[in-house]
Amino acid sequence: MSTGTGLITLVVTILGLGVAAQVLADRLEIPSVLFLILAGILVGPEGLDIVGLEAFGGPEALSAIVGLSVAIIIFEGAFHLKLSKLRQTPREAFRLVTLGAGIVLLGTAITIRLALGASWELSFLIGALLIATGPTVITPILEVVPVRDRVAAALETEGIVNDVTAAILAVAIFEVVVGSGTQLQLLVTSFISRLGIGILVGFLTAGILWYLLNHVDLSPSNAVRNSRLIVLIGAIATYGIAEGIASEAGIAAVATAGILLGNVDMPYEDEIAAFKGDITLIVLSFVFISLATLLSFEDLLSLGLGGLVVIIAVVAVIRPVAVLLCTYGERFSFREQLFMGAVGPRGIIPASVATLFALELRSSNPETVTASSPDAATVLVGTVFLVILTTVVLQGGFARHIAQTLNVLPMRVIIVGAGRVGRGLAERLEDRGENVILIDKDQEQVEQARTLGFTVHHGEGADIDVLRSAGAENAKIVAAATGDDDSNLLVAQLTNSNFDVATVIARVNTPGNASAFEELGVRAIAADESIAQSMDNAIERPALSEWMTELGRTGDVQEIEVTAENLVGMQIGDLDTELPDGVLVALVSRDGDSQIPEPDLTLRRGDHLTFVGRRDAVHEAIERCHPELHG
């Protein structure tokens, strides 16, 4: 009875703290991993000493619990990794999970060898574990830091794939650590075989699950519940089968199965995803708190100055260099590259695998290990958890501040219609650094836009679910730019009635239809009138027309509202002296009236300033005058 009571107390304590951590994290918009680790330390031997290793039934029982939990977490993260995301950054994502992983592995191993004096085998083991960022720490950050979709896609892809890479590679290296010397052939063979077994098992089980969900009568009254249970049991079975063949092959198996099932047509997909998300939150809480109870401050402090050197190298040198090398090109701005390099927190895979390895090292015979077991275990756990704590606190906790400082929080714009007009508008907006998502039902247009590097959702733009999946709930602008007025009108109606969008703008192909759009409060742009106005400018005002054309290529026009205290009460003449070269204040709008400003005009709160000039100069002027605009 006492054992049962103790187990109930253990589970209730951990799950209760987990729920509290999740609620607090949502309230403060900080990744929950930070609070989960702190909760584990609080109830562990370093805190109140309520929970310890013996409460879980020993190392083997804890290993099984953690293994199954990690399988569910990885499966859930992989399930949400859509091929449409992978297409947004195919080259960069591939470099991050190959070249980037290699740079982190080698750089971290060398740093640990030099800073901590660890053996090469142990150094590479820790380096392999610290490759992993993972969806458990990246996804919560991206939920509160709305960067461009392509930035999020690259970070999410890296997290999923590198979790698998880190787990399998670490196991392969660990075999060398506990073996009789460095054997490169053994290492390579072990890695490839585990990866191959995992992928094969993942393919087979995903196929079986897909068949069951699509072709087996699951009883209409309980179809949703049965579908969710089948997927959950299928994920656990996938992990168990692969693990039975080769240890840590289960991670690759569930990742493969999750990606495959997440990208095929399945009944009740939304319900399955919601159910798995809830299960994952519970499992994540249990794993992180459980592992954190095993954390020893003595292990962290034993690293001394060398530990600080490792942290600085991993956070400030190795990660940024890897990202810069892997994301070169025109797809990401330099500021976005810096953000990606500054945000790479480590999570569940390093914590769980390092803990289990350390338990095995401490219980092993030192004569059978290539490094001193107690020292190896201390360095392993201390280094991994030190990196996790530091990156979660600094990079996770301050991710939004980092994004604001680097100005990588763009305005989300949804454009329905990926034809010439839609792509032309998207190109102009992306040149300004905005987060643009195109929607089109024509697969050919979708592929053409993706080839040009745009983020595109395939679907009917006049479908509320498609708009929601593209992020309409967080969009500031929705533009209907198809060649069909009826479709554009329906998009405008759906947006106005279902989403809180600041600006809805629509292309009008037949001038007589403009009034229907204006009655909805939609800004209507008539194609014929726009063309006529442009041609009239070219005839009557050729210099102005040429200047406007050139402005579209290299310049910019931006309008901001005066809310900053440093602008209120300032005269235009004084403001001009503070602006960078290549930009001027063209208009001041006040109470609905616009005027070309005189030098002695004093600015008031609520005035609107229109900046005109070179694109970089306009953006610098906005940062100087209204830095919180992008926050």
Side-chain angles (χ1 to χ4, degrees), residues 299-355:
D299 290 343
L300 299 179
L301 297 175
S302 67
L303 300 177
L305 184 60
L308 180 61
V309 172
V310 171
I311 288 296
I312 294 174
V314 169
V315 174
V317 180
I318 299 172
R319 168 72 181 177
V321 168
V323 170
L324 288 173
L325 291 176
C326 294
T327 58
Y328 68 87
E330 299 180 355
R331 194 174 297 269
F332 298 103
S333 68
F334 182 63
R335 291 172 181 265
E336 288 172 337
Q337 289 178 301
L338 291 178
F339 173 77
M340 295 168 67
V343 177
R346 275 55 171 189
I348 189 68
I349 289 295
S352 59
V353 178
T355 301

Side-chain angles (χ1 to χ4, degrees), residues 433-474:
E434 308 300 354
N435 185 21
V436 182
I437 298 91
L438 287 161
I439 301 175
D440 205 297
K441 62 182 178 180
D442 187 326
Q443 187 63 48
E444 184 177 346
Q445 296 279 29
V446 169
E447 294 301 328
Q448 185 175 354
R450 282 177 177 161
T451 301
L452 295 173
F454 295 112
T455 300
V456 192
H457 282 243
H458 181 227
E460 173 58 67
D463 185 323
I464 189 171
D465 290 330
V466 173
L467 288 170
R468 182 174 285 109
S469 68
E473 292 175 326
N474 300 315

Side-chain angles (χ1 to χ4, degrees), residues 72 107 304 508 544:
I72 295 172
V508 180
L544 175 63

Side-chain angles (χ1 to χ4, degrees), residues 209-274:
L209 290 173
W210 178 85
Y211 180 82
L212 290 174
L213 292 169
N214 285 277
H215 298 287
V216 175
D217 186 5
L218 298 177
S219 174
S221 60
N222 296 308
V224 174
R225 183 190 66 187
N226 292 337
S227 297
R228 295 185 302 194
L229 292 176
I230 286 174
V231 172
L232 176 61
I233 297 301
I236 295 174
T238 299
Y239 175 79
I241 293 170
E243 282 291 302
I245 300 173
S247 62
E248 296 306 320
I251 298 296
V254 292
T256 301
I259 292 174
L260 292 174
L261 289 174
N263 286 279
V264 297
D265 291 330
M266 287 197 317
Y268 315 114
E269 182 176 347
D270 292 340
E271 290 84 355
I272 291 172

Side-chain angles (χ1 to χ4, degrees), residues 55-122:
F56 300 99
E60 292 186 2
L62 179 60
S63 176
I65 294 172
V66 170
L68 287 174
S69 302
V70 170
I72 295 172
I73 293 169
I74 295 298
F75 181 87
E76 198 267 342
F79 189 85
H80 289 285
L81 186 60
K82 304 298 183 182
L83 292 179
S84 58
K85 286 186 177 181
L86 292 173
R87 292 194 189 104
Q88 294 176 27
T89 56
R91 294 191 304 271
E92 292 79 6
F94 179 76
R95 293 188 203 124
L96 283 170
V97 301
T98 52
L99 175 62
I103 293 173
V104 172
L105 171 64
L106 185 60
T108 305
I110 293 174
T111 302
I112 292 171
R113 170 69 175 178
L114 297 177
L116 300 176
S119 67
W120 280 116
E121 295 89 350
L122 182 61

